Every structure is written in structure tokens, then in C-alpha cells.
Amino acid sequence: MKTCKACQKEFDENLTYCPFCGAENADKKLTYFERKQARDKDTQIILDKASIQQSDEDVAQVGDVEEIIVEKVQDFNKAQAFCVARFSASVLFAIACLVFGWLTVTRDIDNNLKLIVVLVAFLAIGVCASIFISDVYTYVTMRKMNDGDFSIRKIFYSKGPMFRSGNGLYEIKTYKKCDECQANMHVEVKDDVLFLVCDTNRSHLYKIEKDAYIAYFKDKLSK
């Protein structure tokens, strides 16, 4: 770890630019091309560390299953129906925007107004496309979640890994503080193994094997 010259926060010593404030932390003055290479290298390092690697699994300590929290998010069937409604609505709205844009172009009106309407229509179609892709992915992922086998999957970007039990959709969370730096931790999953990962330093992590958390989930849900 090294300390940023600008904000004084610690970050990965292999990075050139501070991930918190963006300040350059090179040992010498960099040329334009050296800066570009350094940013590309930093991006690759961050991407590699954004997911659990084999090297992380090998050094991860065994975590305490009692530090996991299971919370019901919503009914499974309702969540699926909501996804279907959203991507259906996005398709219909995109078609409406396309038709409206075409009708505007074919009318005898000011060309500047035509251009504005077409640009707005294409922007709206782009937003609808992103919603459609996101909701289709969510729906397909949920379809793969089987009742009772605790198939854990990452569904929503803003929430932790989830599993299905009965007609319930449950999120796996943790309020554990990192033993090494006291930062908050979050839950990730890889190959049916749960990892408690430090928000500040991803090298601080703990793993919980499938047999341990399945027994824990069954006990929690039976109460």
C-alpha cells in the first residue's frame, strides 16, 4: 500500500493514480504517452481486483457464518412479474418513440424541430434498450434459481447475492467490520463459495464454504 500525495488515503502500490481523488502518484514526471499507459495499466489492475481471483481464494481466511445476515427482499413471483412488466413496457415505449419520430420526420415542419424530436426519440429508445437488456438478464437469472437448493446469484447491481426459498427472494448481507482495517465489508459469491470482502482493501477477505452456509440458511429460515 502507498499513501496518496493529495488526499493522504492508502491505495494499491501498483496503481499510479489514486482511486479516491484521481491524483497522479508517480515517482517522476510522466510524458503524455506514459500517463496513458499508466491509466490503462491501472484500469486493468482495478478490473482484475473487481472479482474474486484464484489467488484470493487461496489466501482467504475462513469466515464465521454467523456474520452473514439473510433478509427477504420480496416475493419471488412478484419480482419476476415486475421484470416482465418493465421490459414489456420498455419495448412498447421504444416502439412508440420510433413511430412518433417517423411521423415527425414525414410532416412538413421546421427542420430544427425535426432534428430535436429525432434526437430525443433515439435517446429514449437507447434508455429503453438498456432497461430491456437489464430486465431480461434479471428475469433469465431468476429463472435459473431453483427452490430449496440455495442457488446463489448476483441479480441486482445495488444489492448483494441472492437466493430463492419457497416464494421468497432473499438477499445475503453482512455488517461485519474488517478485522485488519475496520472498514465495512460486503458479500460476493464465486463457485458456490461466499466471500466477505473489505470495501477498502480487497486483499482482506474471508470465505464461507457451501456446506456451512446452507446449514445456516436452513436454520434461519425454519425459525
Side-chain angles (χ1 to χ4, degrees), residues 6-7 19 23 34 40 47 49 59 83 88 116 136-137 139 145 147 161 165 182 190 202:
C7 67
E34 286 175 331
D40 291 342
L47 289 174
K49 288 184 174 294
V59 301
C83 283
S88 299
I116 293 172
V136 167
Y137 167 78
Y139 179 77
M145 300 173 75
D147 178 20
S165 180
Q182 297 305 306
K190 180 179 183 293
R202 290 186 61 88

Side-chain angles (χ1 to χ4, degrees), residues 52-218:
I52 302 295
Q53 306 294 318
Q54 184 60 50
S55 57
D56 297 325
E57 294 186 57
D58 295 339
V59 301
Q61 304 177 52
V62 177
D64 184 359
V65 72
E66 295 290 337
E67 292 171 329
I68 292 176
I69 298 170
V70 177
E71 292 184 355
K72 184 176 180 180
V73 178
Q74 63 184 124
D75 290 339
F76 186 80
N77 291 338
K78 286 183 179 179
Q80 280 194 313
F82 182 69
C83 283
V84 172
R86 281 205 1 147
F87 69 65
S88 299
S90 65
V91 170
L92 293 175
F93 188 73
I95 293 174
C97 289
L98 188 63
V99 171
F100 181 71
W102 180 80
L103 291 175
T104 302
V105 170
T106 57
R107 287 181 177 274
D108 186 18
I109 58 176
D110 183 71
N111 288 333
N112 290 330
L113 180 59
K114 284 184 181 181
L115 180 61
I116 293 172
V117 171
V118 169
L119 289 176
V120 171
F122 274 106
L123 178 61
I125 291 170
V127 172
C128 290
S130 64
I131 294 173
F132 175 80
I133 292 171
S134 175
D135 284 332
V136 167
Y137 167 78
T138 300
Y139 179 77
V140 171
T141 302
M142 291 177 68
R143 292 282 294 177
K144 296 178 181 178
M145 300 173 75
N146 298 317
D147 178 20
D149 70 351
F150 299 105
S151 175
I152 299 175
R153 299 181 183 275
K154 180 71 174 177
I155 302 177
F156 304 107
Y157 175 77
S158 60
K159 295 185 178 294
M162 296 185 176
F163 67 90
R164 176 188 178 186
S165 180
N167 191 37
L169 189 62
Y170 294 84
E171 180 184 7
I172 306 169
K173 303 167 65 176
T174 183
Y175 292 115
K176 175 180 172 59
K177 296 286 187 179
C178 178
D179 294 337
E180 299 186 55
C181 61
Q182 297 305 306
N184 293 329
M185 306 195 80
H186 64 276
V187 182
E188 296 183 19
V189 61
K190 180 179 183 293
D191 298 332
D192 291 329
V193 178
L194 290 179
F195 291 88
L196 308 185
V197 185
C198 176
D199 289 351
T200 302
N201 188 338
R202 290 186 61 88
S203 64
H204 302 161
L205 73 168
Y206 307 83
K207 63 181 176 182
I208 301 173
E209 299 291 345
K210 187 173 184 177
D211 292 343
Y213 68 69
I214 283 182
Y216 176 72
F217 290 165
K218 288 181 177 179

Side-chain angles (χ1 to χ4, degrees), residues 15 17 19 41-51 202:
L15 298 176
Y17 291 89
K41 179 185 174 184
D42 283 7
T43 300
Q44 188 58 53
I45 290 173
I46 292 171
L47 289 174
D48 289 342
K49 288 184 174 294
S51 59
R202 290 186 61 88

Side-chain angles (χ1 to χ4, degrees), residues 1-27 39 42 200:
M1 303 291 286
K2 62 182 177 183
T3 304
C4 176
K5 299 173 184 176
C7 67
Q8 304 304 313
K9 291 184 179 179
E10 290 189 339
F11 62 96
D12 191 323
E13 61 183 5
N14 296 310
L15 298 176
T16 301
Y17 291 89
C18 175
F20 301 101
C21 69
E24 185 179 298
N25 281 262
D27 297 329
R39 288 191 182 280
D42 283 7
T200 302

